[in-house]
Amino acid sequence: MNLDELAERILQGDRRALARAITLVESSREDHRAQATELLDRLRPHHREALRIGLSGTPGVGKSTFVEAFGCMLTAKGLKVAVLAVDPSSARSGGSILGDKTRMERLSRDRNAFIRPSPSQSHLGGVARRTREAVALCEAAGFDVILIETVGVGQSETVVAEMSDLFLLLLAPAGGDELQGVKRGIMEMADLILVNKADGDLKPAAIRTCADYAGALRLLRKRPQDPEGFPKAMTVSAVQEEGLEEAWAEMQKLVEWRKAHSFWARNRAAQARHWFDQEVRHALLAKLETTEARAAMDELAARVAEGSLSPAAAARDLLAELDKDDRAA
Amino acid sequence: MNLDELAERILQGDRRALARAITLVESSREDHRAQATELLDRLRPHHREALRIGLSGTPGVGKSTFVEAFGCMLTAKGLKVAVLAVDPSSARSGGSILGDKTRMERLSRDRNAFIRPSPSQSHLGGVARRTREAVALCEAAGFDVILIETVGVGQSETVVAEMSDLFLLLLAPAGGDELQGVKRGIMEMADLILVNKADGDLKPAAIRTCADYAGALRLLRKRPQDPEGFPKAMTVSAVQEEGLEEAWAEMQKLVEWRKAHSFWARNRAAQARHWFDQEVRHALLAKLETTEARAAMDELAARVAEGSLSPAAAARDLLAELDKDDRAA
């Protein structure tokens, strides 16, 4: 399939073409990278936009169950839902999010849903880049809502928040002092905190935890992009499918307010600028990954290690070498 | 003064020339950078080596008092001592380490001592780079011991450890549960934990805290670069100048063992390689700092923000632009 055909099929919402295109953006082969960039450029003029929802939750909070229940509720409304994941640990752990697909049985069989596991890259930067290109592909394929989930390892919440319109934090009911376990920085990113498992024995604890987080949210500095009452904490039960409609209503309220007050567009523009900066840094540093650059670096590094050349002088010499190669190319 | 003369004077141990050379390496002007690299290259063949001691301690542990007492003890032994600082916050806070110089009155008047405040840069990377070049200059100037101190903001301990032969962690007496306040990663970097203020009322608490840390250190995995009994926790009193000789004796024991077992040289080689990598990355990214690059980036960023160009395509176009400039240069 050539790029024109692939682009055409994606625009028609062909899921197989979408999967294939995502595989293309995930590839690190240089010719694939060039094709992926070309493909994204062809899809761009169509300006299709989805609601990008970032979702973070540590293992055990019931994230898969939530995504399944929430996703099925949305598809029942006639919305097309894509689920992507940012999980830098998946390469090592053997793919924790891959497992999620089998745990989202109902959603994965839904014709209006598309689930894609995290690319198996060990660098968060690589995962982030591929995921946001996958987001762009899903938008072009006509999806209405894109859920980008992460288990919250290291910096992954920040990365997900940087590619989302809304950021949800999914939590489990907890003892009072466990509130400390959620880092302030993560709290500050959240638009909506959802305390899951508000069912059965855990319901009272969930309500208490929710009140604690609501109190903690009120102590945070007010953000310009929030209407009165946001960020907000709510209880949900993914298992019993309770609170999901209410959560969705709050999300829509927030989206409408932000669109009306131009924060939506401003946020997307700022995010695009951020990604551009990241792409540029990445592309510059990629110059070091060629066989020639590696050989030159190893040779200079040996001289630095033995003490006959300073790190700064060695760097200067390497850059001169790279520039010479560029000129010859 | 030309570079030859500056190099000559530094090799003679001229402190004014040393101060001037450090100012040169701290400059971000491009011609100064080239001169600084050239100067370091001229000094390198003399292969003078000092003992580089990294020292971390949060505000209030008595770091300045310790450095003053420890430094004066070393100069009394006929050793030449340089004190440098890594403090990325100094630019904002108005220079917390600059204040230290006045708090080290005795040492700053000592003819065998040289104290240099942290360069006023807000980026840790910039401070790190200048500090290790200052270390190289102090070595060339014939200093025997270089103390590199940090207040331990963010990643600064790691940065200091990466340019040190030994790493000391200075702590204050604490209640048992405060032990948690020292991050495991910092503990794992320490060769020697010194619990300060083992005097007067605080002496029992200091002894108890020291025992707690000794216990915690025994739980860490054994590192190949340590002889039996290291890393070690000891009490000191900087105010009463107690325990300093003992601490110095332990440091020397460790240094001798590491030199005899080749860990010293191996560590220095690995550090040099690490710095080289950092320099290369820094130099590559510096290509973005030129006026032309900034102008091109701003123009592309505007198109990315408005959605008419993808981040990846914009990055590709910028790189092509930079390469063209390189070729024309």
Side-chain angles (χ1 to χ4, degrees), chain A residues 54-58 63 84-88 97 124 148-153 155-161 167:
Chain A
L55 172 70
S56 171
T58 45
K63 192 149 45 70
L84 304 172
V86 169
D87 178 14
I97 308 262
L124 182 56
I148 311 155
E149 59 163 318
T150 182
V151 284
V153 184
Q155 295 296 304
S156 69
E157 283 109 340
T158 309
V159 162
V160 169
F167 189 73

Side-chain angles (χ1 to χ4, degrees), chain A residues 74-96:
Chain A
L74 296 178
T75 57
K77 291 181 195 297
L79 296 169
K80 289 182 70 184
V81 177
V83 180
L84 304 172
V86 169
D87 178 14
S89 68
S90 64
R92 282 161 303 181
S93 68
S96 60

Side-chain angles (χ1 to χ4, degrees), chain A residues 37 41 44 272-273 276-277 279-281 284-285 287-288 297 301 304 307 309-310 313-315 323 326-327, chain B residues 37 41 44 272-273 276-277 279-281 284-285 287-288 297 301 304 307 309-310 313-316 323 326-327:
Chain A
T37 302
D41 260 12
R44 186 156 291 268
R273 168 76 208 231
F276 170 50
D277 287 347
E279 284 286 340
V280 168
R281 296 173 68 92
L284 267 179
L285 295 175
K287 285 178 184 282
L288 302 177
M297 255 188 113
V304 168
L309 196 63
S310 76
D323 286 347
D326 275 348
R327 234 162 280 160
Chain B
T37 302
D41 260 11
R44 185 158 290 269
R273 168 76 208 230
F276 169 51
D277 287 347
E279 284 287 339
V280 169
R281 294 173 70 92
L284 266 180
L285 295 174
K287 285 177 183 284
L288 303 175
M297 254 188 114
V304 168
L309 195 62
S310 75
R316 178 198 58 199
D323 285 348
D326 276 348
R327 234 162 279 160

Side-chain angles (χ1 to χ4, degrees), chain A residues 220-240:
Chain A
L220 294 180
R221 196 162 28 137
K222 174 130 176 51
R223 305 177 304 181
Q225 71 270 32
D226 290 329
E228 201 52 43
F230 283 91
K232 188 169 278 187
M234 307 174 71
T235 57
V236 293
S237 165
V239 175
Q240 306 211 331

Side-chain angles (χ1 to χ4, degrees), chain B residues 240-255:
Chain B
Q240 305 211 331
E241 301 181 16
E242 281 170 11
L244 303 180
E245 289 285 357
E246 289 80 356
W248 176 236
E250 294 296 338
M251 290 178 221
Q252 285 180 292
K253 200 193 288 178
L254 191 53
V255 166

Side-chain angles (χ1 to χ4, degrees), chain B residues 21-66:
Chain B
I22 294 180
T23 303
L24 187 66
V25 302
E26 285 176 359
S27 169
S28 48
R29 262 180 52 185
E30 211 173 313
D31 55 333
H32 287 171
R33 284 305 312 151
Q35 284 176 34
T37 302
E38 183 62 35
L39 176 65
L40 288 163
D41 260 11
R42 290 192 199 188
L43 296 171
R44 185 158 290 269
H46 296 273
H47 283 297
R48 291 188 182 170
E49 252 184 19
L51 170 59
R52 305 170 185 166
I53 303 177
L55 172 70
S56 171
T58 45
V61 300
K63 193 149 45 71
S64 307
T65 318
F66 174 81

